[in-house]
Amino acid sequence: MAEALLQVQDLYKWYPIKGGLLGRTNGFVKAVDGATLSAEKGETLGVVGESGCGKTTLGRTALRLTQPTKGQILFDGQDITSLKGRKLKPLRRRMQIVFQDPYASLDPRQTVRSALTEPMRIHGLAKGRAEAERKALDLISKVGLNPDHLARYPHEFSGGQRQRIAVARALAVSPDFIVLDEPTSSLDVSVQSQILSLLKALQKDLDLTYMFISHNLAVVRQVCNRIAVMYLGRVVEMAETESLFRSPKHPYTKALLASVPIPDPKKRTELAVLEGDVPSPVNIPPGCRFRPRCEFATGRCAEVSPPMKEVRPGQRIECLYDIDFATRKKTEL
Amino acid sequence: MKLYEYVLRRLALLVFVLLALAALIFYITRGLLPPAYALTQYVTPRMTSAERLILAQNLGVATSSCPSYAAFATSAKGCIVPLWGQFFGWLKTVLSGNWGYTVLPGYVAGTETTWNVFWVRFPYTAELAIGGTILTIAIAIPLGIVSATHANKAPDHASRVVAISGYSIPQFWFGYILQVVFVLYVALNGRGLLPVGGPLPTSCAICFANPGSVVTRTGFPVIDAILSGNFPYFWDSIVGLILPTVTLALTTIGALTRILRSSMVDALHQDYILLARSKGLRDRVVVYRHALRNALLPAITIAGLILAFLLGGVVVIEYVFDFPGVGQAAVLASTSFDLNFLELYVLVTAVIIVLTNLVVDVLYAKLDPRIRY
Amino acid sequence: MTSQASVQRGSDHEVVLEVKGLKVSFHTYLGEVKALDGVDFEVKRGEVLGLVGESGCGKTVTALAIGGLLSDNAKVEAGQILLEGKDLLKETKDELRQTRLREVSFVFQDPMTFINPVLSVGSQIAEILESDKGFQAELVEYRIAELARAESKAGLTPAEVEEKRSLEGLKDKKLSKRSLRRLAKLRTLDYMRTVRLPDPERVYNMYPFELSGGMRQRVMIAMALVRRPKVLLADEITTALDVTVQAQVLRLLADLRGKIDASVVLITHDLGVVSEICDRVVVMYAGNVVEIADVEELFANPMHPYTQGLLASIPRPDVFTKEIKSISGSVPNLISPPSGCRFHPRCPKRFERCPLVKPPLIEVEPGHRVACLLYGG
Amino acid sequence: MESKAGAEEAPKSGAMADLRYSLHLMSRNKLVLAGSVLAAGTILVALLAHVIVPASATVDDRAIRICWNNSLINWHIPSINVCPRPLPLGTDAYGRNLLLMIILAVPLDLSIALEIVASAVVIGLVFGSIAGYAGGIVDEAILRVTDIFFAVPGILLAIVLMTVLGRTIPNLTLAVLITWWPLYVRLIRSQVLSEKERPYVEALRAMGAGRFRILFRHVVPNSIYPLIVQSTLDIGSVILTVSTLVFLGFAPSNIATGQTPELGSLTSQGSQYIFSAPWLIIFPGLTILIISLGFNLLGDGLRDVFDPRLRR
């Protein structure tokens, strides 16, 4: 097994809901509620799930953009769970993030040149203007834009170009690890594939590790080596991409995959419909959190919170049973 | 959180704000002046030095160990209670309703209390402010709606000019202009059409100038006239309010119109308006049911600010129109150094504004289902 | 639902809505945005037509033009929009409003911003029925029919018998405001059930923020269906939804098509959704229709280079593609659109004539039309 | 909406284009144009006042006090004094040329207003950005302090202050400033709050940028437009407030009586002669109206020009 660059152990991120007479805490939004996963050096780890499943919070907490409530985050062997202030700065150089909305993630009053050189200034990575300029030129060509784009402002670019700038800015500090938070979901399909190809190429050239957060299973299938499926703040299944898509083991993964329409009318089948909505992360059902929507749920599911277990080499699920979906036969794990 | 809990919390905050404001006002009117000033409105001319010392001690300004009034008056060491201690003494005194004797011109020294003077004058101001509020709402809301529904067309430009001119006009000047106009140029049989001074006009073409028999029960001229069944007096009180309220409302009409216009324009560009139109609803329904409900929300939140505008405006209006309310007295109080009157005025105004804001916030919560306390 | 039975797809080729040579431009500070440059397509009775393309291709503008809902700075330069033969572009403002009320209804994307936040969702459905006298007779008949159905099934309570009798007396008379409200609410509740909103009585009085995205989308669909339109324009209705909820809504649409007599125009950029429920597809690019075909035909045999590129660039959930293909360049700016074929700057198969001639939409195979010079024109 | 997207794709070239677009929006709006002309005119008059008006103009000439000699306006007042020589706006109670007195008053009012607004902006920037960015207890404390000032009409608080501090011009400036700064704290705070939630701020944090860099290099500059709008509008409002206070007598006696010209005091001086010499009131007040209107029109127009919702 390859070396893990990022390890997230039993991570919790609860946001308090304030209210009441004295502003006391009435409850928590349990955005991340005991998630465990790891990203190995050089791989692309996909994190998928529906809105509100905590995938974005997980990404941000892993980068220490927020303070986790509980749990442990190891980056390259170092425990970074409770680093604060200045101690985080060296970490910021090694970890970066690319956001969903490239326009909003760029300061509208900053030229591309300034956006690219600012991180270098912050971390003292370029000696003098000339070197910064040279590095900026290098970056801009790396992401497929022209040198004369450096003098422009974000609003002068198309969506795809803006995302290229955001990627270039992330690369400005030569990081090892980049969280890609829905990097293509605000883009058009024909442009989406350009960005995906760019990200793949950059990973190869610069030996990057990606955490690719997405709700789009089709995209995830094309770019990720391994995938973590999240549901209500927990990773419910983790597996190599191909085994996950060929034979998902968690009933949620199974339902999720079956509800994606396939762009081929010949393969038109009745979409499997998972009834109900995703429950709110405030009132998480006890026991297995997927139980209320699960067609295989038993009495035990309400009582026991299933631990993560390996069903097959490299494929782990948080479910009490190993279910054969064809025969609906359950084997206790 | 329940609504009553929210109200309780807001009331606690309100008490805090009023206390802090009291401290600020106390600091300005007492802390910045020599301690002997504190006695000004409590002494009577015939008081002896010994009595004055006792008074100073009772008011919590002089220490109990202070040997003589002379020592107190010269701020001798150990004679003066520290400022924060004075504050509590002051608070105790004024909260019991003891605001001393008025030193306003027109009153014999040491005969009439500040408290009485304030409350006799207050109803006049209240009528003026209420009239101003009604006029503001009655004009500003339709104007704002017309402006927004005809955004960037002639009616919008016209209403923009009216609104901006409204809050660019010096109120004191406009008051005089109205007087000039209604005395010199708009007159019937040599008498100005509308009364230009005081709540009870004596020379105007359309008023009766007949105070008649009115029993003062509430202190509010209009209400007392109704209670006494004296129609001429009622009519005169109303007519007397016209010019002052128009002048008063001028500034606030502009402010409210502009805010309503912008929130309405904003609402009209929202997606839910497109949906409402796509449903084939009539324009009237789209504008009033769908847009206005949403647009009113930001507009009513500034009600507190508007009220502060109005209550500040009365000072000028009453001065210009020789209107016997508290605002006119404030200017007099400043020249005659009646600090207690000003303190009382500030605190009463603050209570009104803060309570209004509370009511507005509760109303907001009622109108906007998204807000849950 | 209605007495008219479902119309089977494809069995009837009657055209309900026809858009002919529609040209729309927007006046902006930067210049004239030529948003639609001659859009032609037709909607057949009972079909689900997919209108696909990337952002800025003019899908939404087309839909808004059909409903007469374009913003003030828009101008229809040319064309016809024929709804059962009558030209909607020639209608007055009020006639258009009536058309939206009775014949063409909309469902928009992201219902969070589209449903009025301060009004209860039920009232926002019922207000449609209350807003027009035209619905009165229909509401009464509808209720009588409902009572009659209940009578034949399980019999009526005495109160219901009384209600039916009084309604029959009311048939041609003006309803009181109260009974109009009541009937509108009953019909609303019925349609809320149709779109499978759970516990309609409770949801009726709820506010949009209290509902999940899927429920809000159902509310919007109920709003569109309650007046029994001839055409339902659904603009990106699944875009803001999670996949599992999207699947629910698609399932609902599939189930509804047997029950409603409306033709559906499904505007989307998601080819997966198109292949899932559409009968025919119109592909748009930069304000032009570039290809129209039956859904199987289009996916099996895309003719226009843009359609080919688009199909190649969508990542598929069912297979792993080693190399992700894409169309080079980006969507053109429509203030100064490319001359001739608007796709030519990005087209891998362009030749000399492409920048010179605007390709007409020609039928290459029966039912399969393409606007590309490779196929003539 | 797609129509908007279409507009967005248009070619632009940097900050200059942004500025050009702003100017275009401004020039298209006639009211803004009028406002800019008035505001610029006011500033010009203020700068040149002491050049235009000879020092001798302030000397009293009791012989020609309160007279009118401008055939364009007939006041229809029976016993009006006719000046021996033509004077465009007649003379005041000290027999001085009223037009020149008004011109002389403009720089005083404008400089007081500018001082107040500039100080309020600085205080607002400091405390508003601290409150907005720090949040928590600091924010709460600053907010509660501003609450106190929002509970009193500004003019009333200014009167109390002037009563105690004494009637001088610095005290007048201070009194108005004290009632004005909380507005800016609130404005900047809410701007900073909404700005700091924008994803680019999180991107900057992820990049390792420090709090001060984020706040002063990015967040504050991005919050500047509403500040420009508000301060332009406030120049108009502050001139009104200042002249009102002077009118009510809250200024040193030489100013309050109109001896040293100020717009409010000139009006106040005329109030005694309201029915016999209305020009004494009309023209100084009209000047206040025009100046205030200029800045208000400009500010109101700038709000439209800078409004991101309308710029899309």
Side-chain angles (χ1 to χ4, degrees), chain B residues 168-199:
Chain B
S168 304
I169 288 182
Q171 288 180 320
F172 58 91
W173 175 75
F174 192 67
Y176 281 126
I177 296 299
L178 288 181
Q179 296 188 21
V180 171
V181 168
F182 280 95
V183 169
L184 283 181
Y185 304 105
V186 185
L188 269 178
N189 306 326
R191 295 161 84 196
L193 200 62
L194 287 172
V196 294

Short mmCIF file of all heavy atoms in Angstrom, two decimals, chain B residues 168-199:
data_model
loop_
_atom_site.label_atom_id
_atom_site.label_comp_id
_atom_site.label_asym_id
_atom_site.label_seq_id
_atom_site.Cartn_x
_atom_site.Cartn_y
_atom_site.Cartn_z
N SER B 168 -33.10 67.35 0.77
CA SER B 168 -32.07 68.38 0.63
C SER B 168 -32.55 69.72 1.16
O SER B 168 -31.76 70.64 1.30
CB SER B 168 -31.68 68.54 -0.84
OG SER B 168 -31.26 67.32 -1.38
N ILE B 169 -33.85 69.84 1.38
CA ILE B 169 -34.38 71.15 1.80
C ILE B 169 -34.11 71.39 3.28
O ILE B 169 -34.39 70.53 4.10
CB ILE B 169 -35.92 71.21 1.54
CG1 ILE B 169 -36.17 71.32 0.04
CG2 ILE B 169 -36.55 72.38 2.27
CD1 ILE B 169 -37.62 71.42 -0.31
N PRO B 170 -33.55 72.56 3.61
CA PRO B 170 -33.42 72.88 5.04
C PRO B 170 -34.82 73.10 5.61
O PRO B 170 -35.57 73.92 5.09
CB PRO B 170 -32.62 74.19 5.04
CG PRO B 170 -32.23 74.47 3.64
CD PRO B 170 -33.04 73.62 2.73
N GLN B 171 -35.15 72.33 6.65
CA GLN B 171 -36.51 72.41 7.19
C GLN B 171 -36.82 73.81 7.69
O GLN B 171 -37.91 74.32 7.49
CB GLN B 171 -36.67 71.41 8.33
CG GLN B 171 -36.73 69.98 7.86
CD GLN B 171 -36.89 69.05 9.03
OE1 GLN B 171 -36.29 69.23 10.08
NE2 GLN B 171 -37.71 68.04 8.87
N PHE B 172 -35.83 74.42 8.38
CA PHE B 172 -36.10 75.74 8.96
C PHE B 172 -36.44 76.74 7.86
O PHE B 172 -37.33 77.57 7.99
CB PHE B 172 -34.91 76.22 9.80
CG PHE B 172 -33.61 76.32 9.06
CD1 PHE B 172 -33.25 77.51 8.46
CD2 PHE B 172 -32.73 75.24 9.00
CE1 PHE B 172 -32.03 77.63 7.80
CE2 PHE B 172 -31.53 75.35 8.34
CZ PHE B 172 -31.17 76.54 7.72
N TRP B 173 -35.75 76.61 6.76
CA TRP B 173 -35.97 77.53 5.65
C TRP B 173 -37.34 77.30 5.03
O TRP B 173 -38.12 78.22 4.80
CB TRP B 173 -34.86 77.31 4.62
CG TRP B 173 -35.01 78.10 3.36
CD1 TRP B 173 -34.78 79.44 3.21
CD2 TRP B 173 -35.39 77.61 2.08
NE1 TRP B 173 -34.99 79.81 1.92
CE2 TRP B 173 -35.37 78.71 1.19
CE3 TRP B 173 -35.76 76.35 1.59
CZ2 TRP B 173 -35.70 78.57 -0.15
CZ3 TRP B 173 -36.07 76.23 0.26
CH2 TRP B 173 -36.05 77.33 -0.60
N PHE B 174 -37.65 76.03 4.79
CA PHE B 174 -38.92 75.71 4.16
C PHE B 174 -40.09 76.18 5.01
O PHE B 174 -41.10 76.66 4.50
CB PHE B 174 -39.01 74.21 3.90
CG PHE B 174 -40.15 73.83 3.00
CD1 PHE B 174 -40.14 74.22 1.66
CD2 PHE B 174 -41.23 73.11 3.47
CE1 PHE B 174 -41.19 73.88 0.83
CE2 PHE B 174 -42.28 72.76 2.63
CZ PHE B 174 -42.25 73.15 1.31
N GLY B 175 -39.94 76.07 6.33
CA GLY B 175 -40.98 76.55 7.24
C GLY B 175 -41.25 78.03 7.01
O GLY B 175 -42.40 78.46 6.91
N TYR B 176 -40.16 78.78 6.89
CA TYR B 176 -40.34 80.22 6.67
C TYR B 176 -40.95 80.50 5.30
O TYR B 176 -41.78 81.38 5.14
CB TYR B 176 -39.01 80.95 6.81
CG TYR B 176 -38.63 81.17 8.25
CD1 TYR B 176 -37.41 80.74 8.74
CD2 TYR B 176 -39.51 81.80 9.13
CE1 TYR B 176 -37.06 80.93 10.06
CE2 TYR B 176 -39.17 82.00 10.45
CZ TYR B 176 -37.94 81.57 10.92
OH TYR B 176 -37.62 81.76 12.21
N ILE B 177 -40.50 79.76 4.32
CA ILE B 177 -41.02 79.96 2.97
C ILE B 177 -42.54 79.76 2.97
O ILE B 177 -43.29 80.55 2.41
CB ILE B 177 -40.37 79.01 1.96
CG1 ILE B 177 -38.87 79.28 1.82
CG2 ILE B 177 -41.04 79.10 0.59
CD1 ILE B 177 -38.54 80.66 1.32
N LEU B 178 -42.98 78.69 3.65
CA LEU B 178 -44.43 78.47 3.73
C LEU B 178 -45.12 79.64 4.40
O LEU B 178 -46.18 80.08 3.97
CB LEU B 178 -44.73 77.17 4.50
CG LEU B 178 -44.40 75.87 3.77
CD1 LEU B 178 -44.76 74.67 4.64
CD2 LEU B 178 -45.18 75.79 2.46
N GLN B 179 -44.50 80.14 5.43
CA GLN B 179 -45.10 81.30 6.13
C GLN B 179 -45.20 82.49 5.19
O GLN B 179 -46.25 83.14 5.10
CB GLN B 179 -44.26 81.66 7.35
CG GLN B 179 -44.25 80.56 8.39
CD GLN B 179 -43.60 81.01 9.68
OE1 GLN B 179 -43.48 82.19 9.97
NE2 GLN B 179 -43.17 80.05 10.48
N VAL B 180 -44.09 82.77 4.49
CA VAL B 180 -44.09 83.89 3.56
C VAL B 180 -45.21 83.70 2.54
O VAL B 180 -46.02 84.60 2.30
CB VAL B 180 -42.72 84.01 2.84
CG1 VAL B 180 -42.81 85.03 1.72
CG2 VAL B 180 -41.65 84.39 3.83
N VAL B 181 -45.26 82.50 1.99
CA VAL B 181 -46.24 82.22 0.95
C VAL B 181 -47.66 82.39 1.48
O VAL B 181 -48.49 83.04 0.86
CB VAL B 181 -46.03 80.80 0.38
CG1 VAL B 181 -47.22 80.40 -0.48
CG2 VAL B 181 -44.74 80.75 -0.41
N PHE B 182 -47.92 81.83 2.66
CA PHE B 182 -49.30 81.85 3.14
C PHE B 182 -49.72 83.15 3.80
O PHE B 182 -50.88 83.35 4.10
CB PHE B 182 -49.56 80.65 4.06
CG PHE B 182 -49.80 79.39 3.29
CD1 PHE B 182 -48.76 78.51 3.03
CD2 PHE B 182 -51.05 79.14 2.76
CE1 PHE B 182 -48.98 77.38 2.29
CE2 PHE B 182 -51.27 77.99 2.01
CZ PHE B 182 -50.23 77.12 1.77
N VAL B 183 -48.77 84.02 4.03
CA VAL B 183 -49.18 85.32 4.55
C VAL B 183 -49.15 86.36 3.45
O VAL B 183 -50.10 87.10 3.23
CB VAL B 183 -48.28 85.75 5.73
CG1 VAL B 183 -48.55 87.21 6.08
CG2 VAL B 183 -48.57 84.86 6.92
N LEU B 184 -48.02 86.40 2.71
CA LEU B 184 -47.88 87.45 1.72
C LEU B 184 -48.64 87.17 0.43
O LEU B 184 -49.18 88.07 -0.18
CB LEU B 184 -46.40 87.66 1.39
CG LEU B 184 -45.57 88.44 2.41
CD1 LEU B 184 -44.15 88.59 1.93
CD2 LEU B 184 -46.19 89.83 2.65
N TYR B 185 -48.63 85.91 0.01
CA TYR B 185 -49.08 85.67 -1.37
C TYR B 185 -50.33 84.82 -1.50
O TYR B 185 -51.00 84.87 -2.51
CB TYR B 185 -47.93 85.07 -2.19
CG TYR B 185 -46.71 85.96 -2.15
CD1 TYR B 185 -45.60 85.63 -1.40
CD2 TYR B 185 -46.72 87.17 -2.84
CE1 TYR B 185 -44.50 86.47 -1.34
CE2 TYR B 185 -45.62 88.02 -2.78
CZ TYR B 185 -44.52 87.67 -2.04
OH TYR B 185 -43.47 88.51 -1.98
N VAL B 186 -50.62 83.95 -0.55
CA VAL B 186 -51.85 83.16 -0.65
C VAL B 186 -52.74 83.60 0.51
O VAL B 186 -52.59 83.13 1.63
CB VAL B 186 -51.56 81.65 -0.56
CG1 VAL B 186 -52.83 80.85 -0.78
CG2 VAL B 186 -50.52 81.26 -1.58
N ALA B 187 -53.62 84.50 0.22
CA ALA B 187 -54.43 85.04 1.31
C ALA B 187 -55.85 85.30 0.85
O ALA B 187 -56.12 85.40 -0.34
CB ALA B 187 -53.81 86.34 1.81
N LEU B 188 -56.77 85.32 1.82
CA LEU B 188 -58.17 85.63 1.54
C LEU B 188 -58.49 86.85 2.38
O LEU B 188 -58.26 86.86 3.59
CB LEU B 188 -59.06 84.47 1.99
CG LEU B 188 -59.40 83.37 1.00
CD1 LEU B 188 -60.26 82.33 1.71
CD2 LEU B 188 -60.10 83.92 -0.22
N ASN B 189 -59.03 87.87 1.77
CA ASN B 189 -59.43 89.07 2.50
C ASN B 189 -58.31 89.56 3.41
O ASN B 189 -58.52 89.92 4.57
CB ASN B 189 -60.66 88.80 3.37
CG ASN B 189 -61.79 88.23 2.55
OD1 ASN B 189 -61.94 88.60 1.37
ND2 ASN B 189 -62.55 87.34 3.14
N GLY B 190 -57.10 89.51 2.92
CA GLY B 190 -55.99 90.03 3.69
C GLY B 190 -55.52 89.12 4.82
O GLY B 190 -54.62 89.47 5.56
N ARG B 191 -56.13 87.95 4.94
CA ARG B 191 -55.66 87.02 5.98
C ARG B 191 -55.05 85.79 5.29
O ARG B 191 -55.58 85.29 4.31
CB ARG B 191 -56.82 86.59 6.86
CG ARG B 191 -57.41 87.76 7.66
CD ARG B 191 -58.79 87.43 8.13
NE ARG B 191 -58.79 86.67 9.38
CZ ARG B 191 -59.84 86.01 9.83
NH1 ARG B 191 -60.93 85.96 9.12
NH2 ARG B 191 -59.78 85.38 10.98
N GLY B 192 -53.96 85.37 5.83
CA GLY B 192 -53.29 84.20 5.27
C GLY B 192 -54.22 83.00 5.31
O GLY B 192 -55.06 82.87 6.20
N LEU B 193 -54.07 82.15 4.30
CA LEU B 193 -55.00 81.03 4.19
C LEU B 193 -54.83 80.06 5.35
O LEU B 193 -55.79 79.61 5.95
CB LEU B 193 -54.74 80.29 2.86
CG LEU B 193 -55.87 79.42 2.38
CD1 LEU B 193 -57.11 80.26 2.12
CD2 LEU B 193 -55.46 78.69 1.11
N LEU B 194 -53.59 79.71 5.64
CA LEU B 194 -53.34 78.75 6.71
C LEU B 194 -52.61 79.44 7.86
O LEU B 194 -51.86 80.38 7.65
CB LEU B 194 -52.48 77.59 6.19
CG LEU B 194 -53.20 76.62 5.26
CD1 LEU B 194 -52.20 75.66 4.65
CD2 LEU B 194 -54.29 75.87 5.98
N PRO B 195 -52.84 78.97 9.05
CA PRO B 195 -52.16 79.57 10.20
C PRO B 195 -50.67 79.27 10.14
O PRO B 195 -50.25 78.20 9.71
CB PRO B 195 -52.80 78.87 11.39
CG PRO B 195 -53.31 77.59 10.86
CD PRO B 195 -53.70 77.85 9.44
N VAL B 196 -49.85 80.25 10.56
CA VAL B 196 -48.42 80.05 10.44
C VAL B 196 -47.71 80.00 11.78
O VAL B 196 -46.50 79.86 11.85
CB VAL B 196 -47.79 81.18 9.60
CG1 VAL B 196 -48.27 81.10 8.19
CG2 VAL B 196 -48.08 82.53 10.21
N GLY B 197 -48.44 80.11 12.85
CA GLY B 197 -47.74 80.06 14.12
C GLY B 197 -48.61 79.49 15.20
O GLY B 197 -49.83 79.69 15.23
N GLY B 198 -47.98 78.75 16.10
CA GLY B 198 -48.69 78.23 17.25
C GLY B 198 -49.72 77.20 16.87
O GLY B 198 -50.10 77.09 15.71
N PRO B 199 -50.17 76.41 17.83
CA PRO B 199 -51.16 75.37 17.55
C PRO B 199 -52.54 75.99 17.47
O PRO B 199 -53.44 75.44 16.89
CB PRO B 199 -51.05 74.46 18.75
CG PRO B 199 -50.59 75.35 19.84
CD PRO B 199 -49.79 76.45 19.23
#
